[in-house]
């Protein structure tokens, strides 16, 4: 199963801090008390060496890294291992080396998920101390770990003897004094230390989470600002409304309403200036003809038609008159040919 790009809602990111620390200390035989102690990168390198024995050049790993340069060198070794194993997980080095608990916890959670997916998470045969000896600062780390793990606890008998002697001394002092004295209360055990540390860690995690969320939304707003400054869209009404909201100096609820009003006003102005290209709109913009104008035009048409008709009639009458005169001359000629007395007399 590939865990290169598991989502933030995956079960791997719900593993608790104490469980992660217990897993690291058990696997690598270390004594880490805080997750941010893994920030230098040496722990991550050795965890990958435990999952893939021999894949990490442990002689290049520095367990004594104190400054950012040495830490970055450790993460370069880790990145080379990721490249060799074809792991596409992105390592956010700049965040990890700052030692913030949340970033380091998320990376260790992912690393645990990956190691569990390799050979079922079985790394019992891995000799962490021997592999760490070849690293820079590895022997000192092993020495500190062995001293911490072999520190002898206080014996119960010695503690009881000390308490008994202290109690006897108090009783002797009480009988020696005739005047009643207020006995001093024993100092309470220092039980607030672990609880205080746990509370501080939780607060650090909350602060880191808030800063991460703040940076995320700031980057989104910055992208929107850059887009609004593009010459292609900066003249649009909606872009100007967005800029008005972005650059508002006070949290005024009326800013949104003003931006919307300006956007609507500018949009209406653009519609008025834009030429109408629709045939329907062109027809609606054509000059209307009133009934008075239409009656005058029809009257002029009727008069023109009547004048044309009269002209046609006059032309016809002239044509008929000419035809009748020609007919009468032909009749005369016909009379002459038929043997008129006058013609015969001549």
């Amino acid at each position: 199963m590939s865990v290169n790009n598991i989502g933030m809602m995956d079960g791997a990111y719900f593993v608790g801090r104490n469980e992660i620390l217990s897993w690291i200390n058990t696997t690598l035989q270390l004594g880490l008390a805080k997750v941010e102690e893994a920030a230098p990168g040496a722990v991550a390198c050795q965890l990958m060496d435990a999952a893939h024995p021999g894949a990490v050049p442990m002689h290049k790993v520095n367990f004594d890294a104190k400054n950012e340069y040495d830490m970055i060198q450790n993460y370069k070794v880790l990145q080379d291992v990721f490249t060799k194993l074809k792991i596409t997980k992105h390592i956010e080095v700049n965040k990890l080396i700052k030692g913030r608990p949340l970033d380091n916890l998320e990376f260790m959670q992912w690393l645990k998920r990956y190691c569990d997916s390799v050979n079922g998470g079985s790394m019992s045969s891995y000799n962490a101390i021997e592999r760490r000896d070849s690293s820079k600062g590895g022997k000192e780390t092993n020495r500190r770990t062995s001293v911490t793990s072999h520190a002898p606890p206080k014996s119960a008998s010695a503690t009881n003897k000390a308490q008994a002697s202290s109690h006897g001394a108090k009783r002797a002092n009480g009988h020696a004094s005739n005047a009643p004295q207020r006995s001093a209360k024993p100092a309470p055990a220092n039980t607030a230390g672990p609880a205080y540390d746990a509370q501080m860690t939780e607060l650090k995690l909350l602060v880191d989470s808030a800063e991460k969320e703040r940076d995320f939304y700031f980057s989104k707003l910055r992208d929107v600002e850059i887009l609004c400054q593009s010459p292609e869209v900066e003249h649009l009404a909606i872009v100007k409304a967005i800029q008005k909201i972005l650059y508002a100096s006070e949290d005024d609820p009326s800013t949104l309403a003003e931006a919307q009003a300006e956007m609507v006003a500018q949009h209406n102005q653009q519609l008025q200036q834009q030429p109408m290209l629709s045939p329907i709109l062109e027809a609606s913009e054509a000059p209307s003809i009133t009934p008075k104008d239409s009656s005058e035009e029809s009257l002029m048409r009727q008069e023109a038609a009547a004048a044309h008709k009269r002209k046609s009639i006059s032309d016809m009458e002239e044509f008929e008159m000419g035809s009748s005169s020609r007919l009468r001359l032909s009749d005369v000629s016909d009379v002459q040919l038929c043997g008129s007395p006058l013609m015969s007399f001549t």
Side-chain angles (χ1 to χ4, degrees), residues 95 100 102 175 182 232 259 265 276 309 312:
K95 293 183 178 180
R100 297 195 296 186
L102 182 62
H175 289 293
R182 184 177 298 176
E232 295 82 2
M276 298 297 182
K309 185 175 181 180
S312 300

Side-chain angles (χ1 to χ4, degrees), residues 225-269:
E225 183 183 23
I226 294 174
L227 180 61
C228 292
Q229 292 174 352
S230 301
E232 295 82 2
V233 298
E234 63 179 356
H235 63 281
L236 298 178
I238 188 172
V239 172
K240 293 182 178 179
I242 293 173
Q243 289 178 338
K244 184 178 183 62
I245 297 174
L246 284 177
Y247 299 145
S249 59
E250 297 179 357
D251 188 11
D252 189 1
S254 63
T255 303
L256 178 61
E258 293 177 359
Q260 291 177 343
E262 291 180 3
M263 182 180 65
V264 172
Q266 187 173 1
H267 181 67
N268 294 336
Q269 184 179 3

Side-chain angles (χ1 to χ4, degrees), residues 118-343:
V118 178
N119 299 325
S122 177
M123 295 180 287
S124 57
S125 60
Y126 179 73
N127 192 341
I129 296 177
E130 182 180 351
R131 288 289 294 168
R132 198 158 47 236
D133 281 339
S134 60
S135 303
K136 183 179 179 180
K139 293 182 179 180
E140 290 78 5
T141 302
N142 291 337
R143 191 178 301 110
R144 289 195 301 267
T145 304
S146 62
V147 170
T148 303
S149 60
H150 292 87
K154 294 182 179 180
S155 61
S157 60
T159 304
N160 293 332
K161 289 181 181 179
Q163 291 178 354
S165 61
S166 175
H167 183 67
K170 286 181 180 179
R171 291 182 62 183
N173 293 332
H175 289 293
S177 177
N178 294 326
Q181 295 180 357
R182 184 177 298 176
S183 60
K185 294 182 179 179
N190 188 15
T191 58
Y196 177 77
D197 293 339
Q199 188 177 5
M200 287 296 296
T201 303
E202 294 297 330
L203 291 176
K204 287 182 179 179
L205 291 174
L206 290 176
V207 171
D208 290 341
S209 178
E211 290 180 352
K212 192 173 183 179
E213 185 176 3
R214 177 202 62 190
D215 296 340
F216 173 78
Y217 286 112
F218 178 79
S219 63
K220 295 299 180 185
L221 290 175
R222 177 57 181 161
D223 294 340
V224 173
E225 183 183 23
I226 294 174
L227 180 61
C228 292
Q229 292 174 352
S230 301
E232 295 82 2
V233 298
E234 63 179 356
H235 63 281
L236 298 178
I238 188 172
V239 172
K240 293 182 178 179
I242 293 173
Q243 289 178 338
K244 184 178 183 62
I245 297 174
L246 284 177
Y247 299 145
S249 59
E250 297 179 357
D251 188 11
D252 189 1
S254 63
T255 303
L256 178 61
E258 293 177 359
Q260 291 177 343
E262 291 180 3
M263 182 180 65
V264 172
Q266 187 173 1
H267 181 67
N268 294 336
Q269 184 179 3
Q270 290 178 355
L271 288 179
Q272 293 176 358
Q273 295 177 355
Q274 185 177 2
M276 298 297 182
L277 301 178
S278 174
I280 298 176
L281 296 177
E282 289 180 356
S284 63
E285 290 184 352
S288 58
I289 301 176
T290 60
K292 182 178 180 181
D293 295 338
S294 60
S295 60
E296 291 179 356
E297 290 183 359
S298 61
L299 183 61
M300 290 175 64
R301 292 194 189 96
Q302 291 176 2
E303 292 178 355
H308 181 70
K309 185 175 181 180
R310 286 194 298 270
K311 184 178 179 181
S312 300
I313 293 173
S314 61
D315 292 340
M316 290 292 296
E317 289 177 352
E318 291 178 359
F319 178 76
E320 289 178 355
M321 289 177 63
S323 300
S324 60
S325 60
R326 288 193 297 273
L327 179 61
R328 285 192 295 271
L329 291 174
S330 61
D331 292 344
V332 173
S333 62
D334 291 339
V335 170
Q336 292 177 355
L337 293 175
C338 291
S340 173
L342 296 176
M343 293 296 295

Side-chain angles (χ1 to χ4, degrees), residues 60 75-85:
K60 295 183 180 181
Y75 282 108
K76 284 184 178 180
V77 174
L78 184 62
Q79 185 63 62
D80 292 340
V81 175
F82 277 19
T83 304
K84 186 194 309 183
L85 298 175

